[in-house]
Amino acid sequence: MAKTRSRVGLTMQELALSKVYCLLEPGPVVFMTTAVGARRNIMTMSWHMMVEFTPPLVACVVSRANYSQAALRKTRQCVLAIPTRELATQVVAVGNCSGAEIDKFQAFHLTPLPAACVSPPLVAECYANLECRVVDARLASKFDLFVLEVVKAWINPACRAPKMIHHRGFGEFVVDGEILKLKSDKP
Amino acid sequence: MAKTRSRVGLTMQELALSKVYCLLEPGPVVFMTTAVGARRNIMTMSWHMMVEFTPPLVACVVSRANYSQAALRKTRQCVLAIPTRELATQVVAVGNCSGAEIDKFQAFHLTPLPAACVSPPLVAECYANLECRVVDARLASKFDLFVLEVVKAWINPACRAPKMIHHRGFGEFVVDGEILKLKSDKP
């Protein structure tokens, strides 16, 4: 575990769990990685939201049509990895094929890194990586909806002013633009 | 009802329900309006996600600390209204006070318009308005999480290339920037 942590530490810096919402609340496209034994997989996902600040809880929809759902149900672990706009091509490529047929990490030149607390891998090229466990699956049967707890969070400190992308359907994305700072008491 | 529809029709144009996800999937800040009898209210919300394309289902978190939760539970109706960056000041103002104390429509110069299918009002100044009914509240007790069905959707056709805002915490927003169009088969 110490070795795992130090390998992650080469490129990633731990982020306080209380700051995770700042990454997901704006609604970026994310990757979700899963693993069953040595068989890892990665999918693209936009249907997620924050549910609680601390410990950070995140709801997401992983359709039964996605190969990843069975792994998520079986292992109850995943990683949410947040790409920047430089990875837009891979975001689309990962979203347009199935892990049932290929190893998407290899096919699209994404680098899996061992996580600290869960089996699914981090994605080295992403700005942030969130190690998660499923804490509620009551709405999985009806809505494919899972509630996750983020148990460890990493960001890449070398990535300054990262720009995320937000999906509008059929490969159209809006990229993060101008930053507005208004006075507000609310987190 | 015909009159209501024609009043809405003055500024709003109906949007096909199958296109609702294009508005919410990018993760913009939204307003939620509710109404108990003549008492209307409006809150700011960023914790929402798509759950199904058609009919469009949306999950959201409305905290029990929000005055709106009781109205949502009681009436099982709401409107999600999507503001553009021109409304950022009102987004923050609405989020920083409670409907228990003031009429926020009046206080922040927002114009309620009658909806077609639900009692809570549309917000005239917003780019889009989604009339919703609560269809599942099983996770409300534990997570304040509600699943809504969008039953009618409106956009303002006069608003060209609207730029939405995405909240990063404490009044910091990222505004929609550049549009990327990549080839993709997925909605």
Side-chain angles (χ1 to χ4, degrees), chain A residues 108-173:
Chain A
F108 305 120
H109 310 290
L110 294 168
T111 312
L113 285 180
C117 304
V118 299
S119 298
L122 313 183
V123 182
E125 290 79 7
C126 283
Y127 169 63
N129 280 274
L130 310 173
E131 304 185 23
C132 301
R133 294 181 188 278
V134 174
V135 292
D136 197 300
R138 275 181 286 165
L139 296 193
S141 298
K142 189 166 181 190
F143 298 118
D144 293 332
L145 188 158
F146 298 84
V147 181
L148 314 173
E149 179 179 339
V150 181
V151 294
K152 185 76 84 174
W154 306 96
I155 55 168
N156 180 347
C159 185
R160 304 280 174 194
K163 287 187 181 291
M164 314 310 181
I165 58 175
H166 307 257
H167 191 230
R168 291 176 161 185
F170 291 107
E172 182 172 312
F173 297 88

Side-chain angles (χ1 to χ4, degrees), chain A:
Chain A
M1 186 59 90
K3 190 180 168 197
T4 302
R5 279 189 181 136
S6 77
R7 281 188 61 186
V8 173
L10 288 178
T11 51
M12 302 282 183
Q13 180 178 324
E14 197 168 350
L15 178 75
L17 292 178
S18 60
K19 293 189 175 170
V20 163
Y21 82 95
C22 303
L23 297 173
L24 290 182
E25 186 166 316
V29 170
V30 302
F31 290 121
M32 173 185 279
T33 79
T34 49
V36 179
R39 182 147 188 168
R40 67 201 177 196
N41 192 24
I42 181 167
M43 65 175 279
T44 297
M45 188 174 79
S46 282
W47 291 8
H48 61 77
M49 67 173 177
M50 291 303 302
V51 170
E52 184 55 89
F53 290 105
T54 314
L57 301 180
V58 181
C60 64
V61 174
V62 179
S63 164
R64 61 202 67 189
N66 293 125
Y67 184 65
S68 298
Q69 201 203 64
L72 187 64
R73 280 179 179 273
K74 180 171 178 158
T75 67
R76 299 179 72 90
Q77 298 186 353
C78 65
V79 168
L80 300 180
I82 308 180
T84 56
R85 67 156 291 174
E86 291 74 18
L87 290 178
T89 305
Q90 282 102 315
V91 164
V92 170
V94 165
N96 277 269
C97 63
S98 171
E101 289 143 26
I102 56 166
D103 178 343
K104 295 196 259 184
F105 280 93
Q106 199 165 37
F108 305 120
H109 310 290
L110 294 168
T111 312
L113 285 180
C117 304
V118 299
S119 298
L122 313 183
V123 182
E125 290 79 7
C126 283
Y127 169 63
N129 280 274
L130 310 173
E131 304 185 23
C132 301
R133 294 181 188 278
V134 174
V135 292
D136 197 300
R138 275 181 286 165
L139 296 193
S141 298
K142 189 166 181 190
F143 298 118
D144 293 332
L145 188 158
F146 298 84
V147 181
L148 314 173
E149 179 179 339
V150 181
V151 294
K152 185 76 84 174
W154 306 96
I155 55 168
N156 180 347
C159 185
R160 304 280 174 194
K163 287 187 181 291
M164 314 310 181
I165 58 175
H166 307 257
H167 191 230
R168 291 176 161 185
F170 291 107
E172 182 172 312
F173 297 88
V174 60
V175 183
D176 281 354
E178 177 198 359
I179 306 292
L180 271 182
K181 292 187 185 182
L182 301 180
K183 189 172 176 311
S184 171
D185 298 330
K186 293 296 175 76

